[in-house]
């Protein structure tokens, strides 16, 4: 009996692992559903557009073609969807949908085949849909890509994953600093813990309810920050892009939200827990007084070192800084969800690779994430297209000179003055230009 049991065990161990059946490409992956209701056609010159919707390579998509298509295509790369298992499609925002159609451009947008922080799904889904567009509508003479937030990470990697495929790129509030975004979020919590004297990393289950209130009380963050709280705010400013207009109100606006992100892992796997790649092992914090933070802070290495270092396309991939097409980016000065430092990191990488002539960056005087006006985005789009068509590089802001970035009027050049009067946005946290 024992020999029979042993033989059975050997057979079980030698058997190949069960493989979950993958549905055909016109269906979502297991665990996902699709919500992509019919999109009413837009009116273009008094005529309706042509809208195509469906599922391709497990991702939902929407394509819209104007009545007189100019042969050009703009891909729209959406941002972070969170832990939801419902795949959805966004049309281009900021008035771009109508603007593109009026200019004769077709546009296409993918839900990607997965949610959470899955840049790989965005890179492959956007490229795959662009190829599918060739079969459904026709091969465009050139293809642009526009994206927001995580969609900026998708853009930065797409330009390197598929060199020469895209003719121009417009990342908005983009994660162009790739994994260093998650370093910043780790920095935020670890420096708060070091300054408060309350060490709680990895964060316990009761971090938000029991630990964070103690940290906030120690630093005076529920009212006027004390001396250590002021040092914390200064460190956050320096790590997010340096002294600049709007830094103080930005800290007040974001301080509670950023603490909560330390406990935001939504499941297993890199996409659900992108903080696995984060580290502060070599970070130097300034100012380093009155508390010697560089000595007191807990140092952490990446939980997933392989994901941090691999050049392969992963859910949280590296962007080397080798764009193969003109890139014009917009970024809010006070955005701390995806901080302005992302632009500085990307510029450093691009210049190191000798491709600085392919990058133009613009600072917008806003605090909320991806808070742009249609005028700001529309002007950037027009300038990008002109750049691609004529080779004339448009104007931008310097992001690498601390004195320039700290000037009181920094960000005024490309910020829409009419947005300063719009109720409910954060423009009034800055003095009018």
């Amino acid at each position: 009996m024992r020999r029979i049991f042993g033989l059975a065990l050997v057979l079980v161990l030698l058997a190949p692992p069960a493989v979950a059946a993958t549905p055909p490409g016109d269906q979502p992956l297991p665990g996902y559903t699709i919500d992509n209701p019919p999109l009413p056609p837009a009116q273009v010159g008094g005529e309706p557009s042509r809208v195509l919707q469906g599922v391709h390579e497990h991702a939902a998509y929407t394509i819209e073609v104007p009545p007189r298509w100019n042969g050009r295509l703009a891909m729209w790369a959406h941002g972070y969807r969170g832990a939801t298992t419902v795949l959805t499609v966004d049309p281009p925002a900021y008035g771009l949908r109508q603007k593109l159609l009026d200019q004769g451009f077709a546009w296409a947008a993918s839900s990607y085949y997965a949610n959470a922080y899955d840049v790989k799904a965005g890179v492959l889904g956007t490229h795959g849909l662009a190829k599918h567009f060739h079969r459904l509508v026709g091969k465009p003479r050139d293809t642009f890509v526009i994206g927001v937030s995580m969609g900026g990470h998708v853009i930065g990697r797409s330009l390197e994953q598929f060199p020469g495929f895209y003719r121009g790129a417009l990342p908005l509030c983009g994660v162009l600093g790739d994994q260093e975004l998650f370093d910043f979020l780790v920095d935020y919590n670890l420096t708060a813990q070091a300054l408060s004297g309350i060490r709680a990393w990895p964060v316990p289950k009761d971090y938000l309810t029991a630990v964070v209130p103690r940290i906030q009380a120690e630093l005076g963050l529920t009212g006027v920050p004390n001396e250590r709280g002021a040092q914390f705010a200064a460190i956050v400013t320096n790590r997010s892009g340096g002294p600049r207009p709007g830094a103080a109100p930005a800290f007040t606006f974001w301080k509670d939200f950023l603490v909560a992100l330390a406990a935001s892992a939504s499941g297993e796997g890199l996409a659900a827990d992108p903080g696995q790649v984060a580290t502060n092992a070599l970070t130097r914090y300034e100012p380093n007084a009155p508390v010697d933070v560089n000595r007191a802070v807990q140092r952490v290495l990446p939980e997933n070192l392989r994901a941090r270092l691999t050049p392969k396309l992963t859910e949280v991939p590296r962007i080397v800084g080798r764009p193969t097409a003109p890139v014009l980016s917009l970024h809010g000065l006070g955005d701390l969800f995806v901080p302005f430092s992302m632009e500085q990191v990307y510029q450093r990488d691009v210049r190191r690779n000798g491709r600085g002539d392919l990058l133009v960056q613009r600072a917008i005087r806003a605090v909320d994430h991806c808070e742009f006006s249609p005028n700001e985005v529309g002007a950037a789009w027009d300038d990008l297209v002109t750049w691609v068509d004529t080779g004339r590089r448009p104007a931008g802001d310097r992001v690498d000179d601390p004195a320039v970035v700290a000037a009181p009027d920094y960000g005024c050049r490309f910020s829409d003055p009419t947005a300063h009067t719009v109720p409910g946005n954060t423009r009034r946290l800055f003095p009018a230009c």
Side-chain angles (χ1 to χ4, degrees), residues 178-258:
D178 58 68
Q179 298 165 344
E180 294 192 42
L181 169 64
F182 303 100
D183 295 347
F184 169 74
L185 299 177
V186 164
D187 284 338
Y188 188 90
N189 284 273
L190 289 178
T191 54
Q193 292 177 22
L195 287 164
S196 66
I198 301 170
R199 179 173 288 198
W201 195 272
V203 297
K205 291 183 179 180
D206 63 350
Y207 185 64
L208 297 182
T209 57
V211 180
V212 168
R214 292 169 53 211
I215 293 174
Q216 292 174 327
E218 285 291 333
L219 301 180
L221 298 184
T222 56
V224 178
N226 57 30
E227 189 177 41
R228 287 172 295 145
Q231 183 182 355
F232 176 55
I235 289 173
V236 172
T237 294
N238 284 323
R239 290 291 292 140
S240 61
R244 57 198 186 277
F251 177 78
T252 301
F253 184 90
W254 287 104
K255 61 184 176 66
D256 295 334
F257 180 82
L258 295 178

